[in-house]
Amino acid sequence: MSETIFSKIIDKSIPADILYEDELSLAFRDINPQAPIHFLVIPKKAIATINDIEEQDKTLVGHLYWVAAKLASELGFAEQGYRAVMNCNEDGGQTVYHIHLHVLAGKPLGWPPYQEKLKR
Ligand code: 5GP
C-alpha cells in the first residue's frame, strides 16, 4: 500500500494534535474540523479502505471504537452524544486511503447525509 499523510503522522515526521496513542492506534484532531469537536482514530497498521479489512483485523477495528468511546468519556461528551464513522471510497467521501474513524461531537449533527429525495 502506498504511504499516506497518516503514515507521516504516525511516525511523527509531520505534527498533529495527538489526543491518545497506544501500540495499535493513534487519535488526533482533524485539521479541518466539521463539528466543534472532530478527531480521527486510526490504526497504526496501514489499511487502505474498509474493503481491505481482513479477518485478522477485526479486533483492531473494534479497538478504534474503544478508543473513540474512551476519549468521548474523557473529553466529556459521551453522554451528550457523538458520531463515529468511517468513509469508504469515492461515494463515501474518503480522501485519505488509510482507514480512520471520524469522531464528531459538540452540537446536534445532521442526518441523513444524503438529502435528495429517493426516486421510487
Ligand atoms: P476522509 O475524507 O478520508 O474521510 O477524511 C480524511 C480527514 O483527514 C479529513 O477530515 C481531513 O481534514 C483530515 N486530514 C487530512 N490531512 C490531514 C493532516 O495532515 N492532519 C490532520 N490532522 N488531519 C488531516
Side-chain angles (χ1 to χ4, degrees):
M1 196 190 113
S2 58
E3 273 225 331
T4 68
I5 194 88
F6 290 173
S7 305
K8 296 192 170 75
I9 290 176
I10 291 165
D11 71 20
K12 313 278 169 41
S13 58
I14 68 162
D17 185 356
I18 292 172
L19 298 171
Y20 177 83
E21 180 168 16
D22 62 25
E23 69 282 8
L24 296 175
S25 68
L26 189 68
F28 54 90
R29 292 194 194 274
D30 197 292
I31 205 166
N32 182 25
Q34 301 301 314
I37 299 166
H38 184 183
F39 60 84
L40 306 173
V41 187
I42 70 171
K44 289 188 171 173
K45 178 180 177 184
I47 300 170
T49 78
I50 296 173
N51 297 334
D52 301 299
I53 295 169
E54 296 178 343
E55 186 160 13
Q56 68 263 25
D57 302 321
K58 289 192 294 186
T59 306
L60 174 61
V61 175
H63 183 77
L64 304 181
Y65 276 94
W66 177 83
V67 172
K70 175 181 165 61
L71 286 171
S73 175
E74 288 175 4
L75 297 173
F77 61 83
E79 295 311 314
Q80 190 64 31
Y82 57 99
R83 186 162 299 151
V85 290
M86 262 188 210
N87 297 329
C88 183
N89 280 337
E90 192 178 345
D91 280 2
Q94 185 172 8
T95 57
V96 178
Y97 283 78
H98 179 131
I99 60 166
H100 47 282
L101 199 54
H102 288 266
V103 180
L104 301 128
K107 282 256 168 153
L109 301 165
W111 189 265
Y114 180 68
Q115 302 291 352
E116 193 180 313
K117 266 196 171 165
L118 293 171
K119 288 192 181 123
R120 289 176 193 272

